[in-house]
């Protein structure tokens, strides 16, 4: 089974949030949390790209992003907190298992959820 398309889609989502977050990061503590979220996605993009072809490295990078987003949600309030929590849950649910025949379908669904959540994050940080 080829999972190149879903992995590519996840990389596109990460890139989209980077572009969205660089347009503005709000003010005060929101700005610091948004800047940290931007850094987390930048690090993830680098790690995920380095793990291309290595599913374990890709899964480790994705789990690391989920943990960082969860940590950041604890430093945020209101909509930003809820969005970071949703992102953490979504990215935490992404684990590629090539032995699972439904992995590609599950990743497509998670990619859609991640896209929605990253758009909300960009809105909260603008």
């Amino acid at each position: 089974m080829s999972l190149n398309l879903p992995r590519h889609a996840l990389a596109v989502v990460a890139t989209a949030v980077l572009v969205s977050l660089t347009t503005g990061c709000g003010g005060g503590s929101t700005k610091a949390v948004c800047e940290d979220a931007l850094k987390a996605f930048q690090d993830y993009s680098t790690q995920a790209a380095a793990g291309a072809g290595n599913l374990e490295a890709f899964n480790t990078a994705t789990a690391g992003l989920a943990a960082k987003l969860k940590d950041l949600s604890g430093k945020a309030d209101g909509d930003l907190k809820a969005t970071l929590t949703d992102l953490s849950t979504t990215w935490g649910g992404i684990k590629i298992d090539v032995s699972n025949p439904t992995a590609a379908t599950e990743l497509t669904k998670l990619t859609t959820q991640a896209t929605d959540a990253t758009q909300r994050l960009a809105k909260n940080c603008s």
Side-chain angles (χ1 to χ4, degrees):
M1 168 192 317
S2 172
L3 293 176
N4 289 337
L5 180 59
R7 282 192 292 181
H8 175 71
L10 291 173
V12 168
V13 169
T15 301
V17 78
L18 290 176
V19 171
S20 297
L21 288 177
T22 57
T23 61
C25 280
S29 62
T30 298
K31 180 178 180 178
V33 172
C34 288
E35 287 173 348
D36 287 347
L38 173 60
K39 172 98 171 78
F41 275 101
Q42 287 171 330
D43 292 347
Y44 171 76
S45 293
T46 301
Q47 292 168 355
N54 179 343
L55 294 181
E56 189 168 326
F58 182 82
N59 287 336
T60 299
T62 303
L65 176 61
K68 181 63 177 173
L69 294 170
K70 182 177 180 180
D71 179 57
L72 289 172
S73 73
K75 298 175 183 178
D77 295 316
D79 290 341
L80 180 57
K81 180 181 185 80
T83 298
L84 288 167
T85 299
D86 287 349
L87 275 168
S88 173
T89 301
T90 298
W91 288 92
I94 297 171
K95 184 169 182 175
I96 299 173
D97 179 2
V98 294
S99 66
N100 179 356
T102 64
T105 302
E106 291 172 14
L107 276 174
T108 300
K109 179 181 172 186
L110 288 168
T111 300
T112 300
Q113 292 172 342
T115 300
D116 293 344
T118 54
Q119 288 172 349
R120 287 196 334 259
L121 179 62
K123 180 181 176 186
N124 292 143
C125 290
S126 61

